[in-house]
Amino acid sequence: AEGADSEEAGRIRLVMMGLRADKAAAMFLNMPFGQRGTPRMLGQLEVPEDLEVAGLLTHVYRFLAAFCGEDAGARKLAAEFAPGFSKHLGLEGVEVECAMEAVCRNNPKLAAGEVGKSWIAEVFRLLGALGSRRSEWMRLLHSLVVCGGKVLGDNQTLVMSMFKTHENECTVLMKSHLSGGLLEKLGNIGGLGAVPEADLKFHLAAVDLLAGMAKGKNVASEVFAANYLSYDEVTGVLVRVV
């Protein structure tokens, strides 16, 4: 219902819920295609055996994200099939993250449960195994740490631990990274436009994740975030950019 007002979108969603369109979509996702092909070089996503099928999978996941919307009932229906979504993470051309975010939005039971924790583990596994950085993965982690406006303590602790383990993959453009931070790069290359767009998007999503992890009453999480984002680094970047 893209482009429709919320009332019309709500009516369409009710029809789709009555037809159990989510179930039909899940059946499609469970068909024996979209398999992983030959592994690629480090820093690249894995290529599906069939690129055309990858495009179809993306359309299905986008549909499921729209199906969930802000409707708790729709999210509850789609959550039934959520455990299988992670099998398509890390596949070139498959945008599964939008559906994963949508189904756990304002759904702390799912996010804090076994499914949410398995998604966290899978994201960091892919970061380490593929060496590829996707801003969508950081946004997904954020939605699993801060859900419904509240910090999920167990997920917060898990993400901090795994972030630390994979900090070289997570901290691109941060001062702690082996290649130096964004402020240093801006000084060397002279402008934001010379920073690769994918790296910049990933950096912004990682900063947002750290900000989310610093929420709540866990003082250790604030210290953790400050280790990667110092006041001088943040203000220095802002001064350079502005």
Side-chain angles (χ1 to χ4, degrees), residues 139-241:
R139 290 201 297 270
L140 174 59
L141 291 174
H142 186 282
S143 70
L144 292 167
V145 172
V146 182
C147 187
K150 297 181 179 179
V151 174
L152 303 180
D154 287 349
N155 285 5
Q156 181 187 48
T157 301
L158 179 60
V159 170
M160 284 195 296
S161 174
M162 301 192 84
F163 191 100
K164 178 65 177 176
T165 300
H166 295 277
E167 67 177 10
N168 194 46
E169 291 88 9
C170 296
T171 59
V172 59
L173 300 185
M174 292 185 190
K175 189 175 182 180
S176 58
H177 195 265
L178 295 175
S179 63
L182 180 57
L183 182 59
E184 182 179 336
K185 290 184 184 297
L186 289 175
N188 292 335
I189 63 181
L192 196 60
V195 179
E197 183 179 357
D199 283 353
L200 189 58
K201 285 183 176 180
F202 184 88
H203 173 68
L204 292 174
V207 168
D208 191 43
L209 172 62
L210 288 172
M213 286 195 289
K215 292 181 178 180
K217 300 179 180 180
N218 186 348
V219 177
S221 66
E222 296 181 21
V223 175
F224 179 87
N227 286 333
Y228 296 101
L229 292 172
S230 69
Y231 176 79
D232 290 342
E233 179 82 2
V234 173
T235 54
V237 169
L238 290 174
V239 169
R240 292 267 186 171
V241 172

Side-chain angles (χ1 to χ4, degrees), residues 6-210:
S6 58
E7 185 176 347
E8 182 180 354
R11 289 198 297 267
I12 294 173
R13 183 175 291 109
L14 285 175
V15 173
M16 293 293 101
M17 289 170 66
L19 295 172
R20 286 308 304 267
D22 58 302
K23 197 170 185 178
M27 290 175 63
F28 179 85
L29 295 174
N30 287 327
M31 288 182 180
F33 49 52
Q35 303 301 313
R36 299 177 188 274
T38 305
R40 302 183 73 184
M41 296 173 58
L42 188 67
Q44 298 177 315
L45 297 179
E46 294 178 303
V47 180
E49 291 181 350
D50 190 329
L51 291 176
E52 290 186 2
V53 167
L56 289 174
L57 291 173
T58 288
H59 286 303
V60 174
Y61 280 120
R62 286 176 179 172
F63 164 76
L64 285 172
F67 175 84
C68 290
E70 299 298 328
D71 190 286
R75 283 196 299 270
K76 184 177 180 180
L77 292 177
E80 178 183 344
F81 313 105
F85 291 177
S86 61
K87 69 182 179 183
H88 290 134
L89 268 176
L91 279 175
E92 184 75 49
V94 180
E95 299 176 18
V96 57
E97 299 89 353
C98 60
M100 297 171 84
E101 279 191 69
V103 78
C104 70
R105 186 183 302 123
N106 296 322
N107 190 353
K109 183 177 180 180
L110 176 72
E114 183 179 340
V115 171
K117 287 179 173 56
S118 70
W119 288 356
I120 291 171
E122 181 64 6
V123 166
F124 283 106
R125 186 193 72 79
L126 290 170
L127 278 168
L130 302 180
S132 178
R133 304 180 181 97
R134 288 176 60 84
S135 58
E136 293 87 352
W137 293 350
M138 294 293 103
R139 290 201 297 270
L140 174 59
L141 291 174
H142 186 282
S143 70
L144 292 167
V145 172
V146 182
C147 187
K150 297 181 179 179
V151 174
L152 303 180
D154 287 349
N155 285 5
Q156 181 187 48
T157 301
L158 179 60
V159 170
M160 284 195 296
S161 174
M162 301 192 84
F163 191 100
K164 178 65 177 176
T165 300
H166 295 277
E167 67 177 10
N168 194 46
E169 291 88 9
C170 296
T171 59
V172 59
L173 300 185
M174 292 185 190
K175 189 175 182 180
S176 58
H177 195 265
L178 295 175
S179 63
L182 180 57
L183 182 59
E184 182 179 336
K185 290 184 184 297
L186 289 175
N188 292 335
I189 63 181
L192 196 60
V195 179
E197 183 179 357
D199 283 353
L200 189 58
K201 285 183 176 180
F202 184 88
H203 173 68
L204 292 174
V207 168
D208 191 43
L209 172 62
L210 288 172

